[in-house]
Amino acid sequence: VIPKMAEVEISVRSYVKLVLHAAKYPHCAVNGVLLADRKRYKDDKTVVIVECVPLFHLALGLSPMLEVALSQIDAYCDQNKLIMAGYYQANELIMDASPTTLTYKIMDRLCDNFHDASFYMVDNSKMTPDMEDAVFRVYALHDGKFKERNPDSITLDDQCLSAASGLLNQKVFRNLVDFDNHLDDITQDWLNNHLNEVIEIHSW
Amino acid sequence: SNLYIAELEYGKAAFCLEELIMANPQCHLYHQRYAEIRYTQGGTENMELARKYFAQAAKLNPTSIRALFGLFLAASHLASQQKGGGKGSKSENKKYAAWAAKQIQERYEAVGQREESQMKALTATLDSLEIS
């Protein structure tokens, strides 16, 4: 466990979208990226995860669509003063929460751009409607190797768990759009703007 | 083939797709998936195969955005590695890439309710992935 690193704060919106993505495809492996506020990081070195972009649930390991997605998200980040600060992955098998070659491949990309990037491995067994603590374990680069971060350095915003539980119960994940959905039908919005309001309401 | 992809055995995954294509040559999804695997494997021969299969997928299903993006990427990659003006060369690939990019932009524009920021993201993507 890594001793001291930049603090990470996770917004309700990001946490909920991550959880909904994993819940929408319980039979598949899913992955996505987490975006942080660039200014906050510059000001006080805190990684504030403000947005989550779900990527794929079909054949995670294939390059072309990954390149398209990362490129579009990169452009989006540039325009909105964000940075790709994290990557999450939920494996197919319930007991399997170990990073794969793909995880490291994508992290290489992210770390090139942002050395404080972390990856979040979802513990599938924690994906339940009565969520008690964060569904993932966070890992970051330390001394050239990826190690688990101290859970104390990760703060979930107050309403994360309750909003996630509430929305899971309401099966809102059916409306969540990931990049695979978008590629199959470009009218679907991979930023999930339509969900932001719903999540807001649930975070009071 | 999904299992092979997960295990990074792209050669074997490609073989599965080849069988599927033989059984069902009109199905654009197989061509597309095959092209994606070849692209992931990398290397000029695989990239050329990827481009051809993405092109075929786009021909079988002109509405497939994946095929168009794939064609754009594969052609761009090849163009950046090649020289000359003969057949199957840099300028040819640049033309394919430009055609694919145009198709993609038209599709996105046709959808209309695209958010401004997303359109800009798309344009930036196409520009950044294209070679000068």
Side-chain angles (χ1 to χ4, degrees), chain B residues 28-29 32 56-65 67-68 107:
Chain B
H28 72 278
L29 296 170
Q32 210 167 266
Q56 181 69 357
K59 188 164 146 203
L60 290 170
N61 181 359
T63 64
S64 167
I65 282 284
L68 290 172
R107 295 296 156 76

Side-chain angles (χ1 to χ4, degrees), chain A residues 58-59 61-65 67-68 71-72 75-76 79 101 180 182-184 186-191 193, chain B residues 8 10 33 36-37 39-40 65-66 69-70 73 107-108 111 114-115 117-118 120-122 124-125 128-129:
Chain A
L58 307 167
L62 295 178
S63 313
M65 300 306 134
E67 280 188 38
V68 172
S71 194
Q72 286 205 38
Y76 177 77
Q79 289 153 17
T101 321
D180 266 328
H182 173 76
L183 290 169
D184 290 331
I186 55 175
T187 61
Q188 304 226 11
D189 172 22
W190 48 266
L191 282 168
N193 284 304
Chain B
L8 308 179
Y10 297 119
R33 183 53 74 85
E36 288 189 48
I37 294 172
Y39 182 102
T40 309
I65 282 284
R66 285 180 204 257
F69 268 124
L73 286 174
R107 295 296 156 76
Y108 272 86
V111 158
R114 283 275 72 142
E115 228 196 70
S117 57
Q118 282 197 44
K120 284 203 225 142
L122 176 70
T125 306
S128 73
L129 291 173

Side-chain angles (χ1 to χ4, degrees), chain A residues 109-181:
Chain A
R109 277 290 277 263
L110 257 58
C111 289
D112 274 347
N113 230 347
F114 181 63
H115 64 274
D116 249 328
S118 309
F119 69 84
Y120 300 68
M121 289 306 299
V122 175
D123 181 347
N124 293 318
S125 61
K126 288 200 182 156
M127 289 278 305
T128 64
D130 30 283
M131 213 168 275
E132 282 183 9
D133 64 83
V135 296
F136 42 62
R137 292 163 103 132
V138 192
Y139 298 78
L141 209 49
H142 181 68
D143 279 345
K145 283 181 78 164
F146 281 102
K147 304 219 177 87
E148 190 174 349
R149 292 182 70 140
N150 186 339
D152 291 335
S153 67
I154 317 286
T155 320
L156 291 185
D157 276 357
D158 288 333
Q159 302 303 321
C160 279
L161 296 173
S162 55
S165 301
L167 291 169
L168 271 183
N169 277 321
Q170 294 186 24
K171 306 212 194 320
V172 169
F173 49 78
R174 286 180 292 199
N175 298 330
L176 181 98
V177 174
D178 68 5
F179 225 85
D180 266 328
N181 301 136

Side-chain angles (χ1 to χ4, degrees), chain A residues 42-59:
Chain A
K42 253 177 77 171
D43 289 345
D44 54 13
K45 286 284 185 253
T46 310
V47 177
V48 181
I49 305 284
V50 294
E51 184 62 273
C52 158
V53 181
L55 286 175
F56 305 115
H57 58 276
L58 307 167

